[in-house]
Amino acid sequence: MKVAFLGLGVMGFPMAGHLKKAGHDVTVYNRTGAKSAKWVETHKGGSAATPREAAKGQEIVFACVGNDDDLRSVVLGSDGAFAGMAKGALFVDHTTASAEVARELAAAGAKLGIGFVDAPVSGGQAGAENGKLGVMCGGSEQDFDRAKPVIDSYAKACVLLGPVGSGQLTKMVNQICIAGLVQGLAEAMNFAMKAGLDTTKVVEVISKGAAQSWQMENRAHTMVQGKFDFGFAVDWMRKDLGICLAEAHRNGARLPVTALVDQFYAQVQQRGGNRWDTSSLMDLVARP
């Protein structure tokens, strides 16, 4: 298919690459042109100077940018993607953003005859590079059925959860789970160290039982080593948890642990850990 990809960060760059490897005709756009040039050099696709130019003539336009405002900036306005898309085209958003902005953009697209699927992802940079992301989608069945075969080029699982906004709401569930898991793992690993246990053997045995998690298998050892200069940044996690807490305020859900962990991440930021991996909660319990 003829597709465009807007946003070539740590997730978007490899995701767009998987589309090209799958045989699609890919045009990319990135706010920093050097990233686009590097992608074209690596994958031999095309690039454009604006989202509108990238989106012109494409069957599906994908995006993976930073937040609600970043998303609006590449979609709306005279240079936005919608201005270049034809009636019948489809926009698929992989940004982790609010359900509100998903509904807002879907409504704007509907007036132009453009379909919209909100499709945030989980699996981190490694998942994007390996083409094994979990993709949580919101939209009509018709739009989802058009998007899924293309998304499958970088997805381990791609599921339609409901109407537009449902993908973003599901990503909030994902981040709420992760927040509690990482804090629990940090406390557990610090406890094991204080108790004089061999943490490698501890993880080896408890990861085979009910305590097992992706965070344990992928972050426990680096936590113990105090290594945090990789992975999903604290700044981005705080952005995501802010979205979760705002949505909970609207729907009446209680998120006491999430709110507490969000404040712990604020303390990590105060220590200069803005770009540290989310597992850096360990730094707070190990060095109070």
Side-chain angles (χ1 to χ4, degrees):
M1 298 184 77
K2 285 180 62 63
V3 304
F5 204 104
L6 315 178
L8 299 174
V10 295
M11 303 294 287
F13 194 104
M15 291 165 74
H18 284 296
L19 291 173
K20 188 69 173 65
K21 290 173 187 175
H24 301 292
D25 181 356
V26 185
T27 301
V28 299
Y29 163 80
N30 193 71
R31 186 166 49 188
T32 305
K35 278 278 187 73
S36 294
K38 182 179 179 182
W39 188 91
V40 170
E41 180 183 354
T42 304
H43 297 289
K44 314 305 179 188
S47 67
T50 67
R52 177 178 180 169
E53 291 176 27
K56 188 174 182 180
Q58 309 295 356
E59 297 169 80
I60 303 179
V61 177
F62 296 88
C64 189
V65 293
N67 54 39
D68 287 20
D69 289 339
D70 293 333
L71 184 57
R72 291 187 181 99
S73 74
V74 299
V75 175
L76 305 175
S78 59
D79 280 331
F82 280 0
M85 295 172 72
K87 185 176 181 180
L90 177 63
F91 192 94
V92 176
D93 177 37
H94 290 307
T95 308
T96 295
S98 69
E100 291 175 303
V101 77
R103 298 182 188 114
E104 172 192 329
L105 295 180
K111 293 178 181 178
L112 302 170
I114 297 169
F116 188 95
V117 175
D118 57 298
V121 302
S122 181
Q125 184 176 350
E129 292 173 350
N130 296 325
K132 294 184 177 181
L133 293 168
V135 188
M136 302 152 258
C137 299
S140 70
E141 287 191 19
Q142 180 181 5
D143 288 340
F144 174 76
D145 288 344
R146 289 174 62 195
K148 186 180 185 300
V150 187
I151 293 173
D152 280 345
S153 65
Y154 45 77
K156 184 177 182 179
C158 180
V159 178
L160 179 64
L161 282 310
V164 169
S166 300
Q168 296 296 353
L169 292 169
T170 303
K171 181 59 183 287
M172 295 175 209
V173 174
N174 186 81
Q175 301 305 74
I176 291 165
C177 289
I178 289 173
L181 282 169
V182 177
Q183 179 62 24
L185 182 60
E187 293 180 12
M189 289 298 96
N190 186 63
F191 179 92
M193 293 169 68
K194 295 290 188 183
L197 295 171
D198 182 327
T199 56
T200 299
K201 291 182 178 179
V202 168
V203 171
E204 180 183 355
V205 65
I206 70 173
S207 65
K208 303 301 186 291
Q212 187 275 338
S213 70
W214 185 96
Q215 296 293 334
M216 178 177 290
E217 293 194 355
N218 290 273
R219 295 292 183 262
H221 298 304
T222 50
M223 276 182 164
V224 171
Q225 296 163 7
K227 295 181 179 179
F228 312 118
D229 57 341
F230 60 89
F232 190 64
V234 168
D235 280 351
W236 290 118
M237 187 59 160
R238 286 215 72 203
K239 182 265 291 185
D240 292 358
L241 295 183
I243 293 171
C244 296
L245 293 167
E247 186 66 35
H249 180 74
R250 282 187 287 271
N251 68 22
R254 294 183 64 246
L255 301 179
V257 173
T258 304
L260 181 61
V261 174
D262 180 56
Q263 291 308 302
F264 290 159
Y265 278 125
Q267 293 176 41
V268 174
Q269 289 175 319
Q270 291 168 7
R271 295 185 175 195
N274 303 65
R275 302 299 302 173
W276 289 353
D277 180 72
T278 50
S279 60
S280 56
L281 287 173
M282 179 69 166
D283 196 64
L284 291 182
V285 295
R287 298 190 308 116

